[in-house]
């Protein structure tokens, strides 16, 4: 008999990673992007997963501007299509602290050319994650203090109540376009303060009182 799949190991299941972009006003402003009227969505492949302790995060070949983006990650426990916002939280199994590592140089090129963000967002190790936090340990996902330091210096700091689109809204919105499945991860967008990192930089991040993690930046892939 095979062992039951544990939700805490969701990153081994091969389910999708859905990214939400531009979900904090100050972050839209710092990159000169308009504040969206609807969530901006993109996908990352599951080969981007990098659980803590499994090595460094690395930019794609030729990348000259690798940025950190700290984000609250929402892990789906019960799938569905056309999920109503009112019951969306019933589909959440837990959370992770995540980094949506982004090759900003490639993203800027993609924006200019009007082509997808694949080189910018989808490279191996582009999604470092903390250990899984069961839903019961988070009182309110819309009231979490989180921060990221590079070599001990705070670069990003926010409370998730600054999100433009809330977790239930995002779940409902995504599920109108694609079926959400048990084990999917949603990255809910990054706050202000994204900045470039270099090989050997030490990244430290925390959702205060909930979970913390550390990663090193490695050489390019
Ligand atoms: C500009 C971006 O990279 C969008 C994004 O991922 C975000 O978190 O915002
Ligand atoms: Mg992001």
């Amino acid at each position: 008999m095979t062992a039951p799949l544990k939700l805490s190991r969701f990153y081994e299941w091969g389910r999708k990673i859905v990214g939400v972009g531009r979900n904090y006003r100050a972050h839209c402003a710092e990159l000169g992007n308009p504040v969206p009227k609807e969530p901006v969505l993109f996908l990352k492949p599951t080969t981007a997963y990098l659980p803590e302790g499994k090595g460094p995060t690395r930019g794609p070949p030729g990348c000259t501007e690798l940025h950190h983006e700290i984000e609250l990650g929402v892990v789906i426990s019960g799938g569905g299509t056309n999920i109503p916002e009112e019951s969306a939280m019933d589909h959440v199994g837990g959370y992770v602290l995540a980094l949506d590592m982004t090759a900003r140089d490639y993203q800027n090129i993609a924006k200019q050319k009007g082509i997808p963000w694949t080189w910018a967002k989808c490279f191996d190790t582009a999604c470092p994650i903390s250990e899984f936090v069961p839903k019961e340990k988070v009182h309110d996902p819309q009231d979490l203090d989180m921060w990221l330091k590079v070599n001990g210096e705070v670069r990003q700091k926010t409370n998730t109540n600054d999100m433009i689109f809330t977790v239930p809204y995002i779940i409902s919105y995504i599920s109108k376009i694609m079926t959400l499945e048990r084990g999917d991860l949603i990255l809910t967008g990054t706050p202000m303060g994204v900045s470039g990192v270099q090989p050997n930089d030490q990244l430290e991040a925390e959702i205060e009182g909930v979970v913390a993690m550390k990663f090193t930046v490695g050489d390019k892939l």
Side-chain angles (χ1 to χ4, degrees):
M1 204 174 89
T2 49
L5 292 173
K6 285 190 183 160
L7 189 61
S8 59
R9 310 275 293 188
F10 69 94
Y11 50 87
E12 294 175 344
W13 297 12
R15 299 283 197 239
K16 59 193 168 293
I17 305 171
V18 187
V20 176
R22 304 177 186 168
N23 200 20
Y24 289 80
R25 281 185 179 76
H27 171 59
C28 294
E30 73 178 343
L31 293 187
N33 291 319
V35 173
K37 294 203 167 46
E38 294 190 340
V40 173
L41 302 182
F42 59 92
L43 293 170
K44 272 182 185 291
T46 50
T47 42
Y49 272 128
L50 180 65
E52 190 180 17
K54 297 288 182 193
T57 178
R58 304 172 185 275
C63 173
T64 56
E65 206 183 356
L66 179 63
H67 274 195
H68 53 77
E69 294 192 358
I70 186 176
E71 311 207 0
L72 173 67
V74 177
V75 182
I76 298 296
S77 55
T81 306
N82 288 320
I83 297 170
E85 191 178 341
E86 297 69 34
S87 56
M89 294 309 290
D90 298 344
H91 295 255
V92 174
Y95 303 90
V96 285
L97 181 54
L99 300 182
D100 171 19
M101 296 303 291
T102 301
R104 197 69 68 201
D105 48 351
Y106 286 121
Q107 190 182 42
N108 289 336
I109 293 168
K111 276 165 71 179
Q112 280 162 17
K113 292 187 175 172
I115 59 176
W117 292 350
T118 312
W119 268 81
K121 295 281 195 186
C122 301
F123 49 94
D124 289 0
T125 75
C127 192
I129 50 166
S130 71
E131 67 184 49
F132 175 79
V133 179
K135 176 186 185 174
E136 300 68 41
K137 296 212 168 153
V138 171
H139 173 63
D140 180 0
Q142 248 38 86
D143 186 15
L144 295 170
D145 288 313
M146 61 181 187
W147 53 257
L148 176 137
K149 293 180 188 173
V150 179
N151 301 328
E153 180 189 313
V154 177
R155 297 272 177 91
Q156 292 188 274
K157 191 169 172 30
T158 198
N159 184 288
T160 53
N161 62 16
D162 274 345
M163 284 183 195
I164 300 168
F165 304 107
T166 63
V167 171
Y169 184 89
I170 290 168
I171 291 171
S172 175
Y173 185 87
I174 295 171
S175 76
K176 290 176 189 158
I177 305 164
M178 60 186 102
T179 300
L180 282 170
E181 299 167 284
R182 183 170 162 84
D184 283 350
L185 174 68
I186 301 172
L187 303 176
T188 57
T190 200
M192 188 180 99
V194 297
S195 68
V197 292
Q198 303 297 329
N200 299 319
D201 279 352
Q202 304 298 315
L203 308 181
E204 232 183 303
E206 184 170 335
I207 297 175
E208 277 181 20
V210 178
V211 69
M213 65 182 188
K214 286 183 187 172
F215 284 89
T216 302
V217 179
D219 287 328
K220 285 187 272 295
L221 289 169

